[in-house]
Amino acid sequence: MATLATIKTDIQKQEQKSIVHVIQASVKELEKAVPSCMSAERLARIAVTTIRLNPKLAECTPQSFLGALFQSAQLGLEPNVEGQAYLIPYTNSKYQNGKWVKVPEVQSQIGYKGYIELFYRHSNAVSIDMHTVYENDIFEHSYGTEAYIKHIPSLKDRGEAIAYYAVAKLKNGGVLFKVMSKDACIEHGKTHSKVFDKETKTFKKDSPWAKEPDAMCKKTVLIQLTKLLPKSVELQKALAMDNTTKSVVKADMFEVPDETNWNEQVIEANN
């Protein structure tokens, strides 16, 4: 007699098989979406591997999975590879047949390394650098007409992280930077992230803010710096498509409206 665990495993395998078939059938469409620097076949393989590593993705609607995958493809970012972008399973709330229902869907999120990759595609980009400041480091900075950063990392115990900064150099000789304390980054996340639970005063346990706060703080600083930089078309689209859920695939995913219901949404799991 099959046990409940065995039945659940069999169902998960069928769900994975189903969504994998959808991905494989979409390779030709992916070829139209990906830039010349990316292979549709490689992207499909990455997507299949991502599902095997995180079976909850297979429980999501195939449409939302493809929507998230195509967003990454059009930005030229590989999901779940070196922190460029992520395919995140969520429980989204939708109003269907006169009532609210919970629908497992995939959300597209861009990592800070993805924003760095997009910065380098701008014709005026020279370099971008990011660092974490620890309590035992020597660190000074000043904004204004003679802006500067001085950072000497401690060679011994550096202590706890206290701040983050990003510095961008442009071909016209311009140098722009942004510094944020760790506390300021966390507060920014509490204010702007929908995974912060105002009742418990904590980030939801499976959210990126709870699991990878250092990476999220870096992303926060980088996005703030990005607002000061000349933006490529890809970077503008990335800022608009980050943290979105889309179940319609178009030639330009930027045109597809976000379907995420932040008011009713409950985060289910992270990668």
Side-chain angles (χ1 to χ4, degrees):
M1 180 181 293
T3 65
L4 182 60
T6 302
I7 294 173
K8 185 176 180 180
T9 299
D10 289 341
I11 291 174
Q12 288 179 338
K13 287 181 179 179
Q14 289 300 317
E15 288 173 337
Q16 288 187 25
K17 186 177 181 180
S18 174
I19 201 166
V20 167
H21 284 168
V22 171
I23 295 168
Q24 293 172 340
S26 303
V27 171
K28 289 186 177 180
E29 290 301 316
L30 275 173
E31 289 177 350
K32 301 175 184 177
V34 299
S36 58
C37 62
M38 180 179 285
S39 163
E41 288 79 7
R42 172 178 166 79
L43 189 63
R45 288 196 300 270
I46 291 172
V48 171
T49 300
T50 300
I51 292 170
R52 289 172 181 162
L53 293 175
N54 187 358
K56 281 193 172 294
L57 285 167
E59 300 173 14
C60 298
T61 63
Q63 296 89 345
S64 67
F65 188 95
L66 285 181
L69 185 63
F70 270 70
Q71 286 189 78
S72 292
Q74 290 185 356
L75 290 172
L77 301 177
E78 295 183 336
N80 296 71
V81 175
E82 297 182 350
Q84 290 187 4
Y86 300 95
L87 304 179
I88 311 293
Y90 281 91
T91 297
N92 200 11
S93 289
K94 292 192 169 182
Y95 196 68
Q96 297 178 349
N97 299 322
K99 62 180 180 179
W100 286 102
V101 294
K102 301 296 183 181
V103 181
E105 294 189 318
V106 182
Q107 189 176 87
S108 173
Q109 292 189 11
I110 302 169
Y112 77 91
K113 291 183 180 179
Y115 278 105
I116 290 175
E117 171 69 23
L118 293 174
F119 165 78
Y120 276 113
R121 295 179 192 171
H122 196 284
S123 59
N124 200 29
V126 173
S127 67
I128 193 165
D129 202 11
M130 293 195 69
H131 290 283
T132 302
V133 181
Y134 295 87
E135 57 187 350
N136 294 330
D137 294 350
I138 296 174
F139 182 74
E140 298 176 2
H141 77 284
S142 176
Y143 292 115
T145 56
E146 296 186 16
Y148 75 94
I149 285 182
K150 177 182 179 181
H151 183 198
I152 304 177
S154 173
L155 296 179
K156 296 182 180 180
D157 178 21
R158 298 182 67 184
E160 297 292 327
I162 59 171
Y164 304 85
Y165 68 92
V167 183
K169 294 183 179 180
L170 307 175
K171 287 183 179 179
N172 61 8
V175 178
L176 297 171
F177 67 84
K178 182 66 179 180
V179 179
M180 291 180 70
S181 69
K182 182 176 182 178
D183 288 342
C185 290
I186 298 297
E187 285 302 315
H188 187 277
K190 291 178 180 179
T191 302
H192 298 282
S193 174
K194 306 305 179 181
V195 298
F196 180 71
D197 190 325
K198 294 182 179 179
E199 292 185 3
T200 63
K201 305 295 183 183
T202 59
F203 291 105
K204 297 184 186 297
K205 64 179 182 179
D206 289 318
S207 70
W209 274 105
K211 298 178 71 173
E212 298 183 73
D214 186 67
M216 293 304 294
C217 285
K218 288 180 178 178
K219 178 179 175 179
T220 299
V221 175
L222 190 57
I223 289 177
Q224 298 309 307
L225 175 62
T226 299
K227 294 177 180 178
L228 306 175
L229 299 174
K231 297 176 182 64
S232 62
V233 173
E234 292 97 333
L235 195 51
Q236 292 179 38
K237 290 185 175 181
L239 289 168
M241 293 195 295
D242 197 5
N243 299 313
T244 60
T245 307
K246 303 184 179 185
S247 59
V248 176
V249 174
K250 284 190 175 182
D252 187 351
M253 292 300 296
F254 179 69
E255 298 177 353
V256 181
D258 181 19
E259 299 173 18
T260 307
N261 184 350
W262 290 118
N263 293 325
E264 296 290 332
Q265 184 192 43
V266 178
I267 186 168
E268 180 68 25
N270 192 11
N271 64 301

